[in-house]
Amino acid sequence: MTALVTENLVKRFGGVQATDNVSLTVEDGQLHAIIGPNGAGKSTLIGQIAGEIAPDSGHVALLGKDVTTLSVFARANLGLARTYQITQLAKEFTALDNVLMATNARASHNFSFWKNAHDDSDAVSHSLAALAKVGLLDAKNRTVAELAHGEQRQLEIAMALATGPKVLLLDEPLAGMSQGESAAMIALLKSLKGRYPILLVEHDMDAVFSLADRISVLVYGRIIASGTPEEIRNNVEVRAAYLGEEATA
Amino acid sequence: MKLLPTAIDWRAPRTIVAIVVIATFALLPVLVGDEGGFYVKFATRVLIYALAAIGLNFILGFGGMVSFGHAMYVMLGAYCVAIPAQHEITSGWAHIAIALAMTTVIAAGAGAVALRTTGIAFIMITLAFAQMLFFGAVSLKEYGGDDGLTLATRSNFALFDISSNAGLYYFAFVCVLVALYLSWRAVLSPFGLILRGSKANTRRALALGHPVFRYQLVAYVLSALACAVAGVLLANLTQFASPAYGAWTLSGELIVIVILGGLGTVFGPLVGAVLLLALEEVLPTLVEATLPDYKSNWMLLLGLFIFFIALALKRGVFGSLRGGKQ
Amino acid sequence: MSELLQVKNLNAGYGASSVLFDVNLSIREGEVATLLGRNGMGKSTLVKCLTGWVKPTSGSISFAGEDVTNAPSHKIGKLGLGLVPEGRQIFPTLTVRENLLATASNANGKSWNIERVVALFPRLGERINQMGGTLSGGEQQMLAIGRALMTNPRLLVLDEATEGLAPLIRADIWRALGELKKEKLAMLVIDKDLKALLPLADHHTGLEKGRIAITGTSKELEAQHERLHALIGV
Amino acid sequence: MTAQLALSQLLNGLQLGVLLFLLAAGLTLVFGIMSFVNLAHGSLYMLGAYFGAATFAKTDSFTLAILAATVGAGLVGLLLDRFALTKLYTRDHLDQVLATFGLILFFNELIRMIWGPGSIFMQVPDALSQTVDIFGFTYPSYRFAIIGAGLAVALGLYLLIQKTRVGMLIRAGATHPHMVASLGVNIKWLNTLVFALGAALAGLAGVMSGPIMSVQPGMGEPVLILTLVVIIIGGLGSIRGAFYAALIVGVVDTLGRAFMPTIMRGIFERNTADAAGPALASMLIYLFMALVLALKPQGLFPATAGATR
Amino acid sequence: KIGFVAELSGPQAPLGQDQYDALMLLIEQNGGKLGGVAVQVIKEDSQLKPDVANQVVDKLLEKDKVQIITGVTFSNIMMAVHKKITDKGVFLIGSNAGPSPIAGAQCSPYFFSTSWQNDMQAESVGKFASDKGYKNVIAMAPNYQAGKDFIAGFKRTFKGGSVIDEIYTPLNQQDFSAELAQVASKKPDALYVFYPGGLGVNFVKQFQQAGLNKSITVMSASTVDGTTLPALREAALGWMSGTFWGPDFPNEANQKFVAAFEKKYNRIPSQYAAQSYDAAQLLDSAIRKVSGKVDNKKAFHAALKAADFKSVRGNFKFNTNQFPVQDMFMFDVAKDAKGRVSLRTVAKPLVNHTDSYAAQCQMKAL
Ligand SMILES: Nc1ncnc2c1ncn2[C@@H]1O[C@H](COP(=O)(O)OP(=O)(O)OP(=O)(O)O)[C@@H](O)[C@H]1O
Ligand SMILES: Nc1ncnc2c1ncn2[C@@H]1O[C@H](COP(=O)(O)OP(=O)(O)OP(=O)(O)O)[C@@H](O)[C@H]1O
Ligand SMILES: [Mg+2]
Ligand SMILES: [Mg+2]
């Protein structure tokens, strides 16, 4: 089954054509990477898929269902999880509470007033596992404000994983991570790959080329090329618009 | 959430203060004896304010929704006693039931509109609703308009006898205890976690799949209900209901109580209520004793006191005490 | 060449938790230095000490000949420390042009102006009247660098300034930094791209859990490949 | 209803709007731009009125009264900021609410101690005490003067905020004060300046309304609420928004009061109309605000097209 | 021990202050005594909040155990505490607020008023307007209970002409420009207004600025009085006001009172002061009659009811509902002998006037 389809998405901001007729598909189990210059519209595209930004026209289908008019949380409840390019966390919460909040989203609503959220051992162990995956287990009781920038980026991903997603949207998961953490994160993504369909936006070309099954290149809101990593690496247009020298390295 | 200990530490200052406050309240009528009727009534008023503040704190401290109109639910509660009483309905349970039903309907409606906005706009729109209800009550000519309505007798609760001052006092005390316990449970529950999380980062909560609006609306209605019960009690205490109970100044006072006590702590509102009302009671006497000419200017001191508390303590009086284990 | 920045035995932290322990660092006029280390090792905390956002618990910092250990941020800024902070922090309610102009200064006789910044980042030229808050992540990053340059600093501090930038732009930035170095602008660079840092920088400081774990020139560092590997996990 | 009456009501609305704008401008600056919730803004208005009235009573010069009110309130604002409020800028909004609520009580009581509990008198300056005849109706010249002064201040403020470096810095400091400081600007003084400017405008509004309204302790609070309504409708932090919203609120409020009862009488029978008309008129601006917010939660003219990512 | 409750803080404080000052004036003149008995006055501020009023009254009743309470400035405060006090069998001598339920159905033997029932002032203005033969009158008041009562009272006694328009303004409204434009365009014979306290100050000033003082006669109730005139001064010249008392009353008791008050407090007393002074005189006479035995409630009640004192207003006696029966006067604002702006008697439209709710009062015997 196709996990995710966008059809002719269009979005303008005043004079800026941020998304220009974007159609793409993410097949089940596939890692589809989107690359493109800054301001090409990658985050805007993710926003439209997640439901935060309403497209001017076009459709989004998730797991075979048209979700164009659904709200953000309804899409999330269908199994869509995302990370943000610019960290979005509950600042005064501990790392664990942040993930716990995500874990609690697995049930589509949670109007439980009585039991202590920390007494739910299932949820807690699930959350701890998510923290462990990104290497943040030691930081579980620190509040977000006390985490270094890179650690916050890791937490960002732990939260998306903890919701038990069916489709993952990752907006620059490696941004802000040091080389060491990047390597660990690439390994993690590799292990996730195949299990979840993933739409990945990333500027780290080493990561993109080693992870992606398919790459689409977005320039000025338009997909100018789409294909296997090899095809993209050798595409002249892409090299001129985006990759520059790096592809040869 | 550092403000909220996950387990109770019996030796933490917060716990000790909480226990002392509760114990004092529990024993107060005994301590002051028969002669102290005035103190019992005063303490009842403190409890009633605390109850309303506990309600407000639920959305303000934990949900980040600064309602500047919660006095309207106090007023609503009071009128739900006075108007039925005018029509010879004196059962207290009926009064409470009417108050809860009316409040649920009104709060759900007002909340649904108000929650479209956030931040300062939310403050103002809740104020707007309260003002509308206030002017509505002022124009109720058949129910006394702004002169208000007097109650012939207190409500009649079959099991609790609140016709005596001590009876009403303990009734209010039980209400406060229940409200404290409920909000303690709710805040630590998944519901509370999500409510607090939505306050900290709404966008993220939505993206995780939480229907934030619904959570907030439910919390808003619950908090309004606490205020309505406070209104029912206030009407019984003063045997009077008037639009003044819904004035924006009272809404403001509730906010002050919550912040003074300690935003986002479960017990803070009670401490805040004790502090503010006790000061309003003590300061005039104090000033009179020292500078008799300036007795009527005691509010100057109250203002300064509040100002310096806000400046010095980041999390209110109770919130600044050390809590339990993190 | 004189010392432009000198950090001596610096200790700092947040409240009860200490983060930096006896850190030393010095940068001379026209020199380029780097800070290396994994996430959470204290690189940004050191930067915050330099800018006066975090007050050191002990040790001293002098900059441009003055002791700035406890100086207010704006004074340090006036002395010529130009910051590109972690997480961009551009002004969302100002247009791109206003972001560049608001804090511009030419006190140090250097000559950065809007034209030069736009020439460096043409993308900013296209967005010149757009609100900062609506720029894409990468555009914000360019703006943050441009904004720091507009203060015509004596020392440019870049805390992960290439985060989220497209490869082409990143290459542009490294090239631009190379040019700035030729103009004898001193720099302190934090970045994960060691490949780009090694040819650019004169010397490096690696942090581990807030302590200096390695120092040396690019050559010396390459020689200690193993150690470096362990330190930053290349 | 004649055209003259409609026109004079429009002028009335404009005059109210302009006065509200003077208050709203200062409040929206500190509130929207410095992100500081200053409930004591109304107190500065009150102080301005008292300073002005006292000076006017002593010297008989309205110019001096205006000077005293503006400078006096500005000075109080400056001192407040330097010695008390700076600490609060980085704190939670609600701490600011608490602190400035305390200040309201303090100032009201202080005024009562100094000038007594009753209203004090402030005359219209002689030069403006006449009425002007235009298009066949008379209109108080003092109110004309208010309109003129308000429009001038509006223009000046617009230029200051939108066109000058100081304005840019003020706006920049609202979101990232640390960053502004690190780029070499003394943000503290900048904030003080803004605060004092806002205070001075409040003082100006106070002295200008002195001859119209009663100058008495607590006069700031009702006005504060109305001002808050204005800046919410206008969109927080937007001087332009505050300007339009103030005029809209002024005109809507005035026209509503003037014509609502007549309209209601056209629809309902007299008794119902007399009961509902004024009640509706008191609710009108609140209704209007609720409506605006329900449709545009950011207000009519939001300061930023502010998407955050 | 006597309790005194009034608004002593906030914008309405001048009223409460006048009540208090007049009360204390008499006690001081009597050397700290009322009716020959040394009294202690416990002063409490009700802050214009009903629940606070309740609180302070509780304190007076239960902690201080007073036997008499006087004062009370506002109707809604009176409504909040009236029942509580009288139920306790404590005498309440109201020296200002007189809401209709208390004059009517809810009347109590323990309650006496030395002021008036709210409608009385309005009725005297209405009568005056009829006497003058005004045909077209516009009536204006804030939109709240008292405002409506004051217009109703006016209409009750205004005969021979018509109220062409009734304008109710929102209670929180401070600027009346819109309404004034309206009024000016209708060119009435006279305008009747009720704007108490600060509202009145605003209204009068704005009226003058709109240039209407010359063209329209204004009759007012509770608008220009001793508390607002110091702030209004010349702006109010020519305004008329209907009430029961003015500082220029020639009777001896009044001359003495006004002189003493001016001497002690350096201002012209307002009617609130006069009412309160009468309340003090009433207590003085009644306590003397029972020779200090206030505990004997029956006797004390009878003594109060007799109203055996020289009221500053001249004629004074209690009706069945224990509200005053008194003459009502019309005043205008003019300069007094010392050149100060004050009230001057111009007419006496109603003689031995009673309020219109007494019939609804079934006074219980004590
Ligand atoms: N709310 C908005 N108003 C106006 N323009 C906007 C808005 N949001 C985004 N844009 C513009 O749309 C374009 C696409 O932005 P987007 O964030 O999608 O880029 P991106 O591909 O994610 O870039 P980056 O790699 O730098 O993160 C940019 O030029 C940006 O300035
Ligand atoms: N505000 C804070 N309060 C408490 N602890 C903090 C705070 N900010 C950072 N820390 C802690 O200090 C340590 C150093 O953080 P710092 O931001 O300096 O790291 P960094 O080297 O810049 O990492 P990164 O590469 O992720 O940006 C981390 O362990 C972090 O958790
Ligand atoms: Mg992006
Ligand atoms: Mg860092």
Side-chain angles (χ1 to χ4, degrees), chain A residues 38-39 41-44 85 203, chain C residues 127 130 134 136 138-139, chain D residues 309:
Chain A
N38 296 117
K42 303 179 293 296
S43 299
T44 307
Q85 180 179 4
H203 286 301
Chain C
R127 296 271 172 273
Q130 188 171 324
T134 64
S136 85
E139 290 163 349
Chain D
R309 220 160 301 240

Side-chain angles (χ1 to χ4, degrees), chain D residues 133-182:
Chain D
D133 282 295
I134 37 165
F135 308 117
F137 68 95
T138 55
Y139 196 74
S141 31
Y142 184 69
R143 291 191 186 237
F144 264 124
I146 293 184
I147 296 178
L151 293 180
V153 170
L155 184 69
L157 269 182
Y158 172 78
L159 293 178
L160 174 72
I161 300 295
Q162 295 301 330
K163 303 288 175 206
T164 68
R165 272 278 285 277
V166 175
M168 289 177 201
L169 287 174
I170 291 172
R171 281 180 289 146
T175 44
H176 296 302
H178 282 314
M179 207 48 229
V180 174
S182 272

Side-chain angles (χ1 to χ4, degrees), chain E residues 173-324:
Chain E
Q173 179 179 319
Q174 304 283 330
D175 186 352
F176 303 97
S177 52
E179 291 77 11
L180 290 176
Q182 206 89 340
V183 168
S185 75
K186 292 206 167 136
K187 305 200 168 40
D189 294 342
L191 177 67
Y192 164 66
V193 299
F194 165 70
Y195 280 106
L199 288 176
V201 176
N202 292 351
F203 189 90
V204 176
K205 279 187 181 178
Q206 293 167 21
F207 189 82
Q208 183 218 20
Q209 285 159 25
L212 297 175
N213 266 1
K214 281 162 257 153
S215 52
I216 300 179
T217 313
V218 201
M219 307 171 293
S220 69
S222 275
T223 305
V224 290
D225 59 32
T227 56
T228 53
L229 280 178
L232 288 169
R233 297 198 244 158
E234 280 80 3
L237 283 179
W239 274 55
M240 287 193 283
S241 176
T243 185
F244 70 95
W245 172 89
D248 65 341
F249 277 12
N251 70 66
E252 193 197 324
N254 188 53
Q255 289 302 325
K256 243 177 69 195
F257 159 65
V258 173
F261 192 94
E262 279 183 17
K263 179 149 178 277
K264 173 132 196 256
Y265 302 110
N266 200 17
R267 61 178 194 266
I268 308 176
S270 67
Q271 68 174 56
Y272 309 101
Q275 291 154 198
S276 184
Y277 191 75
D278 272 359
Q281 293 200 77
L282 171 67
L283 285 172
D284 186 52
S285 70
I287 295 175
R288 179 162 293 124
K289 261 199 181 148
V290 297
S291 18
K293 299 208 178 56
V294 178
D295 291 345
N296 184 347
K297 290 188 176 164
K298 230 174 174 135
F300 188 54
H301 178 258
L304 285 169
K305 186 96 200 226
D308 205 356
F309 68 98
K310 289 219 156 5
S311 165
V312 295
R313 70 196 88 181
N315 263 345
F316 184 98
K317 67 175 196 274
F318 281 118
N319 198 352
T320 48
N321 61 353
Q322 302 178 2
F323 272 70

Side-chain angles (χ1 to χ4, degrees), chain C residues 52-219:
Chain C
W53 293 359
V54 167
K55 298 294 171 209
T57 44
S58 70
S60 70
I61 305 171
S62 71
F63 176 62
E66 291 195 33
D67 178 22
V68 295
T69 317
N70 283 305
S73 302
H74 65 91
K75 191 172 161 216
I76 303 173
K78 275 229 176 69
L79 284 174
L81 187 134
L83 174 69
V84 180
E86 191 172 61
R88 311 174 185 94
Q89 311 222 9
I90 56 116
F91 307 129
T93 53
L94 271 62
T95 63
V96 169
R97 181 197 301 279
E98 288 172 338
N99 260 284
L100 293 173
L101 281 181
T103 54
S105 126
N106 44 17
N108 298 304
K110 302 254 170 58
S111 56
W112 280 97
N113 53 28
I114 293 208
E115 288 70 39
R116 256 185 95 186
V117 171
V118 168
L120 182 64
F121 301 119
R123 185 90 205 173
L124 290 183
E126 295 169 30
R127 296 271 172 273
I128 197 82
N129 287 320
Q130 188 171 324
M131 282 292 172
T134 64
L135 294 175
S136 85
E139 290 163 349
Q140 294 189 2
Q141 197 67 64
M142 298 177 209
L143 183 56
I145 299 175
R147 180 181 64 184
L149 289 173
M150 290 287 287
T151 66
N152 285 303
R154 293 174 70 179
L155 173 69
L156 185 61
V157 178
L158 300 122
D159 194 351
E160 317 221 13
T162 62
E163 177 190 330
L165 290 183
L168 255 180
I169 309 283
R170 224 150 45 203
D172 270 355
I173 289 188
W174 292 123
R175 204 183 49 246
L177 294 187
E179 276 166 30
L180 292 175
K181 188 186 175 188
K182 285 205 198 92
E183 292 177 22
K184 295 275 176 252
L185 176 62
M187 283 180 269
L188 176 64
V189 190
I190 297 172
D191 205 276
K192 65 175 173 182
D193 191 349
L194 201 60
K195 255 184 296 183
L197 288 178
L198 284 175
L200 178 72
D202 299 306
H203 62 86
H204 309 264
T205 303
L207 289 178
E208 184 166 33
K209 301 219 166 116
R211 292 192 163 78
I212 293 187
I214 192 170
T215 55
T217 62
S218 298
K219 270 219 189 73

Side-chain angles (χ1 to χ4, degrees), chain A residues 88 101 110 114 117 156, chain B residues 185 188-189 203-204 210 215:
Chain A
Q88 297 288 338
M101 184 160 93
N110 210 329
W114 202 247
E156 183 77 29
Chain B
R185 296 297 306 207
L188 292 177
S189 73
R203 215 168 150 202
R204 170 56 92 176
H210 297 300
Y215 282 89

Side-chain angles (χ1 to χ4, degrees), chain A residues 52 72-73 76-77 82 84 88-90 92-93 97 101-102 104-105 110-117 156 163, chain B residues 1-2 181-182 185-186 188-191 193 196-197 200-201 203-204 206-211 214-215 218 222:
Chain A
E52 280 188 0
V72 178
F73 66 85
N77 286 330
R82 71 166 295 185
Y84 288 90
Q88 297 288 338
L89 301 165
E92 64 260 42
F93 273 25
D97 278 353
M101 184 160 93
N104 268 298
N110 210 329
F111 286 88
S112 155
F113 295 94
W114 202 247
K115 64 169 201 256
N116 189 323
E156 183 77 29
T163 57
Chain B
M1 185 87 177
K2 288 254 156 131
Y181 185 66
L182 287 182
R185 296 297 306 207
L188 292 177
S189 73
F191 177 87
L193 183 77
R196 286 180 286 136
N201 196 330
R203 215 168 150 202
R204 170 56 92 176
L206 281 170
L208 289 173
H210 297 300
R214 276 176 234 165
Y215 282 89
V218 169
L222 287 176

